[in-house]
Amino acid sequence: MTHSHEEQPVVGVETGVGMAPGRINLIGEHTDYNAGFVLPFAIEQHCLARIRPTVDAASDAPLIVHSRQSDSRVEIARGDVVPGAAWIDGPSGWAAYAAGALWALVDAGILPRGALAAEVELDSTVPIGAGLSSSAAIDCSVVVAADRLFGLGLPPAQIAQLATVAETRFVRAPTGGMDQLVSVLAERDHALFCDMRSLQTELIHFDPSANGLEVLVVDSRAPHQLVAGEYRNRRLACEAAARQFGVPALRDIDEEELPRRLAGLDDDVLRRRARHVVTENARVLQTVELLRGGRIREIGPLLVASHASMRDDFEITVAEVDLAVEVLLAGGVLGARMTGGGFGGCVIALAEAGTSAALATAVDEAYAARGFSPPAHFVAHPGDGAVALAR
Ligand code: GLA
């Protein structure tokens, strides 16, 4: 049987291994898809992806994805490795982040379709559905593993872009690209300042422990509901506001002109959505200025203001998340806010070193008193971005 070049399986290589971290966004929420600014950092929790081509595979060998966490094995017929396929919305949907990463490489003409005859094994320590980008950890680690396996030598920015395509075009999640950028480009003891219009990035020193501080993360474990739909609605509202302002994106509105601009909108919801994005962009720039000046202890009020804006104007917080922020602030942290897309997920607090255990206990008690299920917590350390590992 003869195959076209397109369908030939790729053989001759053994295994590619890639590691990519999850992230915490220090500040700049829902600004990425508004061509604005974000300031995330990578965490130590990461996904390891191992890819093995199916040697001597028939041209119709499926793509196989395993996960150590779900203890399951998903077989996807080659013809089903297409954007928006029905299985992506089903119980095996987690495998779509890995399949989408390989698809993005094929779609870009970097790999032949035969490269889909492979087995991908995922092993992740990033909590799932906690707003810490467990999905970006998967798609970035798979692109990095493939880059190593096939000796592609892709530049880091392109790796992030391909991983983003896996999410936006293959899984069809309308996300904004921040998570993949930081998962690939992060460096230890730094946050990554990103201009999401130009995609220019700059590492900003962010080393809480060198300043007698630590970042406490509280995972609210609030049931994520309607996340995808609500995220999309926020994005559509921002686009509608930008259209009414007559600008390409909300990034193009300055904080100074905001009151005048808002007065011209007749819809109160759009007004509040736009106000969040414009003020959040300004808060990112102010945070970057403070960190550049070595004034990490002064960023607290910006984190607090960001949370209030997400709660009141963007309306993406939930009771569990707001309660954690309240308890942490009452416990004396320098600042606290929800991080990530919202509707559940994690709260971060900038706290004095050594105080996290007592703060976490206070949050646990407050949750119990309100009848919320117990949260999880850990201290985060700004870590390195994705790497290929020796196989
Ligand atoms: C999710 C998306 C990101 C970003 C954040 C909100 O994490 O994946 O692109 O929009 O939400 O800041």
Side-chain angles (χ1 to χ4, degrees):
M1 182 172 155
T2 54
H3 327 292
S4 70
H5 166 75
E6 269 280 279
E7 287 298 327
Q8 266 171 27
V10 177
V11 291
V13 263
E14 295 161 30
T15 306
V17 185
M19 183 285 285
R23 63 98 189 92
I24 281 171
N25 190 14
L26 182 58
I27 195 160
E29 224 63 79
H30 287 260
T31 46
D32 61 353
Y33 56 78
N34 289 297
F37 304 107
V38 293
L39 187 61
F41 61 89
I43 53 177
E44 293 169 319
Q45 289 86 340
H46 58 265
C47 180
L48 264 183
R50 185 181 298 274
I51 309 181
R52 226 185 339 263
T54 315
V55 180
D56 296 330
S59 66
D60 58 353
L63 171 64
I64 298 167
V65 189
H66 311 257
S67 153
R68 289 257 177 105
Q69 281 60 50
S70 68
D71 224 358
S72 53
R73 180 180 189 277
V74 178
E75 258 192 50
I76 311 149
R78 205 93 64 80
D80 285 338
V81 184
V82 288
W87 65 272
I88 297 173
D89 287 327
S92 304
W94 57 269
Y97 295 91
L102 290 177
W103 174 85
L105 285 155
V106 171
D107 183 66
I110 296 168
L111 289 179
R113 255 195 100 71
L116 296 175
E119 216 170 314
V120 181
E121 197 183 293
L122 303 171
D123 189 4
S124 178
T125 56
V126 187
I128 291 166
L132 300 175
S133 294
S134 55
S135 59
I138 295 177
D139 42 55
C140 291
S141 63
V142 170
V143 178
V144 168
D147 180 68
R148 161 57 72 98
L149 175 62
F150 299 109
L152 303 174
L154 297 170
Q158 194 181 0
I159 291 180
Q161 184 256 331
L162 288 160
T164 303
V165 164
E167 216 160 292
T168 55
R169 289 192 38 222
F170 190 84
V171 180
R172 297 187 174 165
T175 52
M178 157 176 72
D179 309 335
Q180 292 76 13
L181 211 51
V182 65
S183 182
V184 174
L185 298 176
E187 271 182 36
R188 181 170 297 270
D189 301 332
H190 288 81
L192 189 73
F193 174 38
C194 312
D195 177 334
M196 297 305 296
R197 170 167 279 159
S198 66
L199 295 184
Q200 282 194 344
T201 59
E202 179 190 342
L203 287 163
I204 304 287
H205 196 233
F206 178 65
D207 185 2
S209 59
N211 291 274
L213 298 171
E214 57 196 18
V215 175
L216 168 63
V217 182
V218 175
D219 178 357
S220 71
R221 285 181 165 160
H224 263 229
Q225 266 165 16
L226 307 169
V227 181
E230 290 292 348
Y231 184 97
R232 193 181 299 271
N233 287 342
R234 295 304 180 282
R235 186 168 181 153
L236 291 174
C238 291
E239 287 165 3
R243 257 195 316 277
Q244 291 197 26
F245 290 144
V247 293
L250 288 179
R251 148 74 175 274
D252 299 301
I253 304 292
D254 278 344
E255 219 185 358
E256 295 71 58
E257 59 172 318
L258 184 62
R260 178 177 63 79
R261 290 291 205 158
L262 290 181
L265 284 184
D266 51 16
D267 183 293
D268 182 54
V269 171
L270 285 197
R271 215 179 282 139
R272 288 184 293 120
R273 303 297 188 253
R275 183 165 59 200
H276 164 72
V277 173
V278 174
T279 58
E280 185 77 350
N281 273 328
R283 283 185 289 269
V284 174
L285 298 179
Q286 289 164 35
T287 306
V288 167
E289 273 321 296
L290 287 173
L291 292 178
R292 279 196 186 120
R295 296 160 67 188
I296 185 173
R297 288 184 160 265
E298 292 170 50
I299 71 170
L302 292 164
L303 304 183
V304 176
S306 170
H307 187 79
S309 179
M310 290 190 288
R311 183 191 59 214
D312 304 335
D313 277 350
F314 220 59
E315 297 181 287
I316 53 172
T317 68
V318 294
E320 288 87 338
V321 157
D322 291 334
L323 178 64
V325 169
E326 266 167 47
V327 172
L328 292 165
L329 291 176
V333 301
L334 281 71
R337 65 182 288 277
M338 183 189 77
T339 187
F343 308 101
C346 288
V347 163
I348 56 165
L350 191 62
E352 297 293 345
T355 61
S356 283
L359 289 163
T361 304
V363 176
D364 287 351
E365 286 169 3
Y367 269 49
R370 283 278 289 273
F372 295 155
S373 27
H377 12 72
F378 65 93
V379 171
H381 303 284
D384 282 320
V387 284
L389 302 176
R391 50 177 189 258

